[in-house]
Amino acid sequence: MSTHRDVVSFVRRGERLSQGRQNAWDRLSPTYVIDPPRGHRDTLPADGTRLDLEEVFGRRAELVVEVGSGTGDNIVAAALDHPERDHLGVEVYLPGLAQTLSRVERSGSPSNLRMLPLDAQRALPALLPEGSIDQLWVYFADPWPKQRHHKRRLINPPFLDAVLPLLADGAVFRLATDWAQYAHHMRSQLDVRPELELLHPEGPRPEGTSSDAIPPNIESTGWAPRFEGRVKTGFENKGRAAGRLIWDLAYTRAARPSGPDGTSDVEAPTAQ
């Protein structure tokens, strides 16, 4: 009997760690890596598993989640710059997680950061309550440029159906890519969602020419300026070096319909 294989946006290749990364993993993962019981795949939590954010971080504060945090450039810098917030990086690639841990240690071991080594689309709605995320970041996700691979793109209905309910009212959803075709695809998926509103509806598209093909019907407005809180990673630098433009997007989570008592059906969490 064959097992159904879900379409995922990532491919897990060889994950052997160098000795230095293995040492960092052994030393730091018990503190920084959330390790819930696993389900039928090692990137899925077991049924019924939930995260208690107050227990994980030792407090309840504004929560920033980065999906595909890579080697931790952004999420570690954000945790250092904003000790009043809690930060959760979601990354399935073990070498990236180990390098993030090394970066955490070199930066002074901030206590407001945790890593989750699971499939974000399937794990986050299982582990987190609705309305618990105050900022969601997706930077330079794999564009899967070939037509036959478009179903693997992260920014597609299954992912949005999974994560948008987790955003608190007024939460900010930030994205960036160096591929114009993927930028256009993201707009086609995000602009139609009633839960989302563009933060910069009049924002112009990036200036200049690009080495990749820009769709002739790509939106001329609605683009965000570069987010100052985003560190320039190797992915962004590689895209710029190849002559591609950087496309930024920012949305806010629209308020949920009010319940019978006049309050939102899902209350946004408050920092303490």
Side-chain angles (χ1 to χ4, degrees):
M1 180 178 175
S2 61
T3 301
H4 172 70
R5 296 185 63 185
D6 295 327
V7 175
V8 295
S9 63
F10 56 87
V11 174
R12 301 187 80 184
R13 299 181 176 89
E15 295 196 327
R16 180 177 296 178
L17 298 180
S18 67
Q19 190 59 55
R21 288 180 177 176
Q22 185 65 58
N23 291 341
W25 179 267
D26 294 341
R27 189 168 59 252
L28 300 170
S29 62
T31 298
Y32 286 99
V33 179
I34 299 170
D35 188 24
R38 300 302 201 270
H40 67 276
R41 291 207 319 260
D42 64 353
T43 57
L44 298 179
D47 291 345
T49 304
R50 302 288 286 178
L51 283 186
D52 184 329
L53 292 171
E54 188 168 351
E55 180 178 326
V56 167
F57 290 101
R59 63 177 183 177
R60 187 67 186 97
E62 180 181 344
L63 179 65
V64 177
V65 175
E66 182 178 11
V67 172
S69 53
T71 58
D73 304 70
N74 279 299
I75 203 72
V76 174
L80 290 168
D81 290 344
H82 294 277
E84 78 282 2
R85 302 187 316 209
D86 291 331
H87 300 79
L88 178 64
V90 186
E91 177 58 61
V92 296
Y93 189 46
L94 182 59
L97 287 164
Q99 191 165 336
T100 299
L101 295 180
S102 295
R103 192 185 305 276
V104 165
E105 189 171 51
R106 293 194 305 270
S107 68
S109 303
S111 61
N112 59 333
L113 171 66
R114 296 292 185 274
M115 304 302 298
L116 183 67
L118 300 181
D119 176 354
Q121 178 177 312
R122 294 154 182 84
L124 289 178
L127 296 174
L128 298 181
E130 289 196 7
S132 59
I133 297 176
D134 299 280
Q135 293 193 49
L136 177 63
W137 300 345
V138 177
Y139 297 141
F140 301 95
D142 193 329
W144 293 101
K146 294 181 180 179
Q147 181 70 39
R148 69 177 183 272
H149 292 155
H150 285 186
K151 63 184 178 181
R152 286 186 173 271
R153 288 174 166 174
L154 182 66
I155 304 303
N156 268 324
F159 176 74
L160 298 177
D161 290 343
V163 301
L164 293 187
L166 304 180
L167 300 183
D169 289 357
V172 178
F173 187 7
R174 299 187 184 277
L175 311 96
T177 183
D178 60 320
W179 289 90
Q181 293 280 351
Y182 193 32
H184 184 48
H185 169 83
M186 291 196 298
R187 289 294 300 270
S188 73
Q189 298 298 315
L190 296 164
D191 287 3
V192 299
R193 302 295 301 217
E195 307 99 318
L196 298 175
E197 299 173 354
L198 280 164
L199 268 180
H200 304 276
E202 304 303 321
R205 51 158 284 181
E207 294 182 354
T209 58
S210 187
S211 60
D212 63 334
I214 298 179
N217 59 336
I218 198 166
E219 295 79 355
S220 59
T221 59
W223 304 99
R226 189 184 190 284
F227 177 45
E228 293 183 356
R230 190 181 84 239
V231 173
K232 285 187 178 180
T233 65
F235 286 106
E236 180 169 357
N237 291 332
K238 184 178 179 180
R240 288 186 181 276
R244 294 191 292 271
L245 296 172
I246 307 300
W247 306 79
D248 281 87
L249 283 169
Y251 295 82
T252 186
R253 183 27 159 121
R256 291 168 170 80
S258 298
D261 59 355
T263 61
S264 173
D265 289 340
V266 177
E267 295 293 339
T270 56
Q272 295 181 353

